[in-house]
């Protein structure tokens, strides 16, 4: 039987989501605890990967297990997992449901604190130079399209195409006076959100004009764009699926 | 000339606000950096002390310095101070203004996360048993009075009186679905808010009735009350002064 787990993690202490030799990863820790609880080697497949230090407020993974499970697993997992990983919901799915392939889009938030904040230096980018948010929003609108986002892709990766369909990209202020960038797309290239944020911040500083930002997109060349914003401000905040997939939450 | 500084700190890495031998304190770090910037030994006097691990979102300290200062000091201090201490405002005061004696009241918040949260295990008390918040609010109302709060005082301290004037005490939910306890009083006894929160949580769990909570207050005996809630959920959030004191903010 196939199960989906909804979970969240603080990326601070992990070398990214994906399992790798000699470095601790979120995937490894979840697989280890789940395997111990179910007394069987369990592999999980996630909606996507997050890089070293990047967080997830809402991530989905799937795994297979031959017996019927109940929400009791949620409680057990939360007590076995470290403080920085939490699981919230368990769903029994159709056999062919797939956490990665069935995801229709992903949403990320990037947090910037415009003042020194003793409570968010690990969860937001502390950036206390003045930013023109209107200009940053004007530039962000240019990202909303289906197109080649190679300008914001990590070089030398093995993806076949840089085409992404960006459906939402804007800045807002939250209740803590932080600047929040929200972006939704069908898929993201490695390092894409951090490269976009780094470049939009240069727009906000007046170093890059809106026209130049548009040129950077068109050039499809990573070296044109600005530096990447730091990992610790970035959060995967949602993964969208067709609602029909989630018929059976186990309570 | 007398100056007031408004500041905030994350208490996680400090053995409390007050300077002490062989342990790092917030006071020591601020005095050290301020003395280096002003090239003169500076002592600061705070509105109050916070215990090991307790945070302050808004604290005031005063210090004396014979020359005229500008807000440039704020920038310098923020670059010299570690990430977990920030200064926000500088005021030139009347000579007799006093950060502690002139404060008319203090407000604390205590944060409880009612679910496992990978992003707040250092900033809130993760407590995932069900709490009856209505009952906790009913009990909290009994705290609003001028009276002897010895039931919630640390034993063997050298204060002369346990009389406090509690002006506000209630629970609310914030935008992150956390439970927040807000309490304002003219003064607080050592450990008082954490002892009150620990006892109110027992009310929320149904272990103590409203009547029993009232009896605990009346007994004026620390051993009657519940255990202290953990330090990392507690924040000094405001110190109130007569507004007339702050005539001259340096910008």
């Amino acid at each position: 039987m196939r199960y989906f787990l909804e979970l969240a993690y603080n990326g601070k202490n992990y070398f990214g989501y994906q399992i790798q030799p000699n470095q601790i990863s979120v995937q490894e820790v979840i697989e280890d605890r789940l395997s111990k609880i179910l007394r069987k080697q369990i592999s999980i497949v996630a909606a996507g990967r997050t890089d070293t230090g990047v967080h997830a407020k809402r991530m989905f993974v799937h795994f297979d297990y031959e017996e019927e499970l109940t929400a009791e697993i949620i409680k057990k997992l939360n007590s076995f997992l470290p403080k920085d990983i939490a699981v919230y919901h368990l769903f029994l799915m159709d056999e062919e449901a797939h956490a990665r392939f069935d995801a229709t889009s992903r949403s990320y938030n990037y947090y910037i604190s415009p003042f020194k904040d003793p409570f968010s230096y690990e969860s937001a980018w502390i950036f206390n130079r003045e930013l023109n948010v209107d200009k940053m929003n004007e530039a962000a609108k240019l990202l909303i399209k289906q197109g080649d986002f190679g300008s914001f892709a990590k070089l030398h990766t093995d993806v076949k195409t840089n085409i992404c369909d960006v459906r939402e990209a804007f800045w807002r202020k939250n209740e803590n006076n932080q600047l929040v960038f929200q972006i939704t797309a069908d898929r993201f290239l490695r390092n894409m959100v951090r490269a976009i944020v780094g470049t939009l911040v240069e727009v906000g500083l007046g170093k890059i004009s809106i026209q130049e930002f548009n040129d950077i997109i068109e050039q499809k060349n990573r070296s044109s764009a600005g530096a990447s914003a730091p990992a610790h401000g970035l959060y995967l905040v949602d993964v969208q699926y067709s609602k029909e997939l989630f018929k059976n939450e186990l309570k």
Side-chain angles (χ1 to χ4, degrees), chain A:
Chain A
M1 284 177 274
R2 180 147 293 186
Y3 295 94
F4 266 42
L5 258 181
E6 185 188 323
L7 53 97
Y9 53 83
N10 184 325
K12 179 172 68 167
N13 299 316
Y14 298 95
F15 288 85
Y17 170 80
Q18 195 178 30
I19 219 160
Q20 52 181 310
N22 306 322
Q23 307 274 37
I24 190 166
S25 64
V26 175
Q27 184 184 0
E28 179 191 333
V29 171
I30 297 173
E31 287 187 350
D32 174 74
R33 304 304 190 277
L34 198 50
S35 300
K36 278 185 180 131
I37 291 170
L38 299 179
R39 295 161 196 255
K40 179 173 182 287
Q41 185 57 46
I42 302 287
S43 298
I44 60 173
V45 175
R49 306 164 190 173
T50 53
D51 280 345
T52 298
V54 174
H55 317 288
K57 287 195 177 173
R58 199 167 188 217
M59 168 68 107
F60 289 89
V61 301
H62 80 241
F63 65 93
D64 292 321
Y65 187 65
E66 57 271 27
E67 289 172 45
E68 263 185 53
L69 297 174
T70 66
E72 198 53 36
I73 294 296
I74 298 282
K75 276 192 191 166
K76 274 195 193 158
L77 262 176
N78 277 331
S79 66
F80 276 58
L81 285 166
K83 288 186 287 193
D84 49 17
I85 304 178
V87 292
Y88 295 123
H89 299 284
L90 177 69
F91 302 89
L92 176 61
M93 311 295 285
D94 287 339
E95 285 300 324
E96 66 276 17
H98 195 287
R100 182 166 165 214
F101 300 144
D102 283 342
T104 53
S105 59
R106 285 93 178 151
S107 298
Y108 282 89
N109 278 358
Y110 194 95
Y111 292 83
I112 292 180
S113 174
F115 53 89
K116 192 179 184 189
D117 180 354
F119 305 103
S120 64
Y121 59 84
E122 291 187 318
S123 57
W125 184 14
I126 308 286
F127 190 90
N128 51 18
R129 293 163 66 191
E130 203 167 327
L131 293 171
N132 184 326
V133 181
D134 290 341
K135 283 249 185 296
M136 288 160 77
N137 261 325
E138 212 182 312
K141 275 189 194 144
L142 300 171
L143 298 164
I144 303 172
K145 63 176 180 179
Q146 190 171 47
D148 184 318
F149 284 86
S151 302
F152 304 107
K154 199 156 186 129
L155 296 173
H156 315 303
T157 58
D158 55 359
V159 294
K160 296 186 193 89
T161 162
N162 289 330
I163 304 287
C164 303
D165 185 14
V166 175
R167 292 159 191 174
E168 179 184 64
F170 63 95
W171 293 87
R172 61 181 167 87
K173 277 212 170 168
N174 72 4
E175 64 282 350
N176 298 320
N177 280 316
Q178 293 175 320
L179 265 178
V180 187
F181 180 57
Q182 178 153 334
I183 183 165
T184 299
D186 62 336
R187 65 194 280 264
F188 286 90
L189 309 173
R190 193 145 178 230
N191 206 245
M192 177 168 153
V193 185
R194 291 166 57 196
I196 286 174
V197 169
T199 312
L200 285 174
V201 160
E202 297 202 356
V203 171
L205 289 169
K207 288 188 182 174
I208 294 177
S209 69
I210 306 286
Q211 182 56 52
E212 285 167 329
F213 184 78
N214 200 39
D215 294 345
I216 287 168
I217 302 177
E218 297 301 328
Q219 280 157 22
K220 305 170 180 55
N221 176 356
R222 179 65 182 94
S223 58
S224 319
S228 283
H232 67 267
L234 183 59
Y235 296 73
L236 174 67
V237 293
D238 204 6
V239 185
Q240 290 85 24
Y241 296 92
S242 157
K243 273 195 188 123
E244 294 141 40
L245 284 178
F246 294 88
K247 285 170 293 196
N248 198 353
E249 179 171 1
L250 303 170
K251 303 234 187 196

